[in-house]
Amino acid sequence: MLYNRKVTAKYILTGLIVLVFATITHQIDAKGKHFRQIFKSLTDDSDTSKHSSKKNNKSTTSDTLHKTDTAHNINDTSKKVTVDTLHFSKDSLDAPVAYKAEDSAVLIIPSKQFFLYGKANAKYTNMTLDANVIKYDQSTQLITAYGGTDTGNSPLNLPKMVQAGSTSTSDTIKFNMKNQRGLTKNTYYKEGEMFIHAQVVKKVNANTEYAWRARFTTCNLDTPHYAFITRKLKIINNKLAVAGPSIPEFEGVPMPIVIPFGIFPMETGRHSGILPPAFANDFSLGLGLQGLGYYKVINDNWDVTFRSNIYTYGGWLIDIKPDYYKRYDYRGTLDLSIQKTKSLNTGGLDASEFTEYNTFFITWSHSSDTRARPGTSFSASVRAGSTKYNRSLPDNAFRNYDNQLASSITYNKMWDQGKYNLSIAANHNQNNNLGLINIQAPSINFTASTIYPFQKIDQVGTPKWYQKLGISYSVTALNQFSFYDSIFNFKKMLDTAMWGVDHRLPITLTLPAFGPFIASPSVSYEERWYGQELIKTWDNTKDTLLTSTKNGFFAARQVSFAVSVNTRIFGTFKFKNGFISAIRHEVKPFISLSYQPDMVGQYFQNVQVDKQGDLARYSKLDGGVVGSFAEGKFGGISFGIDNLLEMKVKDKSDTSEDGTKKVRLLDGFGVTGGYNLIADSLNWSPVTFNLRSTLFGNVNITGGASIDPYGVDSLGNRINKLLWSKGSFGRFTGGNFALSTSLKSKSTDNRADSSRVTPDQTLTPDEQQRQLDYVRQNPAEFVDFNIPWTLQLSLAVNFSRIQAPNLRTYYTQINSNVNVNGDFSLSPKWKIGGGTYFDFRTLKIQTVSLFLTREMHCWQMAINVQLGTFKSFSIVINPKSGILRDLKINRTRSFSSY
């Protein structure tokens, strides 16, 4: 029987059953016996007929289908009732088989065999089989598949089986559909990232296979760059592969190395397991194992990672990192590291052999989803620990130079659609160079948004000018402790406690525009509470300035009245010919009149600062957590102007005749100043300048300066002598300048965006920062070989005049540094790069990092060199595949001259 159309085995079997039922129903005895014999041959089960003369006689069956056929005569009640029961064969399939063939499908009923010819395809449950010829034998439940040859005698349509995420291509496949056992020859097998070529693969159940004389690799080329050769290999789908003694080979050349056994994880998703270590050699710490640990999945929302470093000199590090995440509710990461450092001392003959100390570090990042609790949020960003922890980490120059740490834990609550807001926070900052740690806990802030007391509830039409009068209120309460971690004492820490409260009550009014001018009057009241004041006295016996504190309750108040007027002026100059089409200039001037009485004069006093009897003035409220008010009254004018400059140029990428694009020349250039009309001296305030620009789309420039028009005396105090009268522009008292740019060549694959690293936007800012930190620490792992060269440059300069603690002198502090990072391709597969940090204040190169990397398709090689105070060298060769990530050759050495 030949079928030239696509059918399914389900339809053939159904047709045979219907034919048998029809035979029984119509009592075609002779033909019925013939068809029942055919059906019997297909089912291997005899039909049973039971006759009973009793009325309540019942027929039972253990199979899934039966049919009652009753022959009777309505006039003869003595006729016997005949019951025919049909059974499905035990060798029938438990699910339908969908199949197709390009040439033909052949069903041989007597032998219960089915053939598919020409690009045959069969699908059964989770298994898909493609081959040139597929043969199915129902009696044995065995499927045999094999390929063919084309006119050139080359293989054609080799059998390919896909099941449970694994794929195998073989010369011949034999597979039992009932017990899921099978045998393949000359098989190319793929499971996850692993590729296996074996002479024989034996499948013992749906999830387990054994391979004989196998070559396995993660390289997807027909001739892999590397592989491991083994006689025996066991594969458990989506779980792991276990290999016996194996020999690695590179480019087809076996290496004289034998690996006793190998365990390769193949399970996808989250699962617990051991984290293998990396070998390290540190000059100060000794030989060691780094990263040895365990990953544990607790439940769907929590997991934890344990890692450790162990060194032969006796040092160690333990790191515990729980991660938690619940969709639409919260997510976070806690990382606690405890470290014992025992390093070789190179300080000289008189020094002890080792230096030992214990340190810790904690990082916590937490964020809550506002959809879980509308109006309420809780967040945490914590980076705190021992001041010596970062400098003790080996092979981590970025952390070695990270000396400024800060933390914040905040709870926020809003009421009445955001009109009222309460924030409770605990903050921390520390300077690892000084060892000074400041903790602000608790820090409470309450804000009432602007209310308009004269505005109607149901406002219709344009409101009156007085209805725009707004009043708001905010209060901040701070409590701060300070201590040095090297001499920490809880009682002494309590002695450093300072508290303060800051109240602010601004009143604003937005008036209608007077033509092009907008006027805004305002009144501001501020009151600050302090828990202590400073007392400075001169000690004649010791010739020094003494400072003490007096605890109590102290309050200072300040009120100001102001009215400001601002406008915007536009001007455009157009060009008829040339590359530039137009230049547009926008000017934003403002002027304000303000008055501020002196309400804090009682807290200022003079103190002797040297033997000559020179006096300096200070505020007894200086150093408070909420700051202090400036002395003196002000009644004068403040003024300023800001500029924006841009131009239109012809766009070469625009094919239209009038295609143009905007180019910003200046994002802002402003000047501000003031004049006190009621002061008897020092009427002019310092003049400040600011500059912002982005040139050519990728050169960012920012700058600022402060110029004082008055001179100073021998102690650095301002005197009432204008430098302008002497032809000087003024005295430069502070400023900053920063320039940064990022340049790169065009991508060789013409990609529009070739950014090497894009932070995952689903992560919290702290998690993104840690991701970027890892990139900085391991730049060789993130190079883009499609970009021939890149260059990142940044320059920063800061200048300031600071009064010394003795109040006698001022000193100048200048910080200036330059950062340069970049890479370029030596060839399509080799890339070299690095970076450096130069400090102009010390005239020293603080650190130099270099890397050399080689792209090897399925492997990568990276050489990293770190120079400076902390020195390190590492070379790592490892596969790119995730399942073989820890199968690497590494050599690491680090030194420290700290």
Side-chain angles (χ1 to χ4, degrees), residues 65 115 254 270 345 406 432 489 511 535 654:
L65 180 65
F115 293 84
R270 299 166 66 244
N345 200 327
N432 288 344
N489 182 283
L511 297 176
I535 305 297
D654 194 334

Side-chain angles (χ1 to χ4, degrees), residues 476-493:
T476 301
L478 301 174
N479 188 53
Q480 178 173 296
F481 304 89
S482 300
F483 60 91
Y484 290 91
D485 71 334
S486 58
I487 52 173
F488 174 76
N489 182 283
F490 185 74
K491 183 179 180 181
K492 291 182 178 180
M493 184 189 73

Side-chain angles (χ1 to χ4, degrees), residues 126-303:
N126 66 339
M127 183 198 73
T128 301
L129 177 62
D130 293 279
N132 191 60
V133 178
I134 298 178
K135 173 186 175 182
Y136 171 59
D137 191 330
Q138 187 186 17
S139 61
T140 60
Q141 295 290 316
L142 187 65
I143 287 182
T144 304
Y146 47 89
T149 57
D150 57 15
T151 55
N153 206 29
S154 298
L156 178 68
N157 299 330
L158 291 177
K160 179 181 178 181
M161 178 181 289
V162 179
Q163 185 179 27
S166 63
T167 303
S168 61
T169 303
S170 313
D171 288 349
T172 304
I173 292 179
K174 292 185 178 181
F175 182 75
N176 190 294
M177 298 184 68
K178 192 148 192 173
N179 56 28
Q180 302 289 297
R181 302 180 65 180
L183 186 70
T184 65
K185 295 183 178 180
N186 192 23
T187 301
Y188 290 88
Y189 181 86
K190 180 181 182 298
E191 172 75 20
E193 294 182 312
M194 181 172 288
F195 298 86
I196 301 171
H197 178 208
Q199 291 185 7
V200 179
V201 174
K202 182 179 181 181
K203 189 177 183 69
V204 296
N205 55 49
N207 297 313
T208 307
E209 298 94 12
Y210 290 90
W212 171 255
R213 294 191 179 277
R215 174 183 283 104
F216 59 96
T217 179
T218 59
C219 182
N220 60 359
L221 298 181
D222 293 337
T223 303
H225 290 106
Y226 79 99
F228 296 90
I229 303 174
T230 183
R231 289 170 59 92
K232 298 179 180 180
L233 178 68
K234 180 180 180 179
I235 304 167
I236 302 176
N237 294 343
N238 296 321
K239 190 172 183 181
L240 58 84
V242 182
S246 307
I247 299 176
E249 69 173 19
F250 294 90
E251 299 291 350
V253 179
M255 297 290 103
I257 301 173
V258 177
I259 300 175
F261 65 92
I263 300 176
F264 307 95
M266 304 172 71
E267 185 175 355
T268 58
R270 299 166 66 244
H271 55 279
S272 303
I274 296 175
L275 302 174
F279 294 96
N281 182 2
D282 190 285
F283 178 79
S284 301
L285 303 176
L287 300 176
L289 295 176
Q290 295 180 344
L292 176 63
Y294 188 81
Y295 174 75
K296 174 64 178 177
V297 176
I298 300 175
N299 54 38
D300 291 341
N301 304 110
W302 285 75
D303 57 40

Side-chain angles (χ1 to χ4, degrees), residues 51-57 77-81:
H51 304 278
S52 176
S53 58
K54 297 182 180 180
K55 181 178 181 179
N56 295 325
N57 188 28
T77 57
S78 63
K79 294 288 185 180
K80 294 183 179 181
V81 178

Side-chain angles (χ1 to χ4, degrees), residues 846-860:
Q846 298 297 327
T847 180
V848 175
S849 61
L850 301 171
F851 70 84
L852 177 67
T853 184
R854 171 72 161 89
E855 163 66 27
M856 298 186 290
H857 183 256
C858 50
W859 279 70
Q860 63 184 6

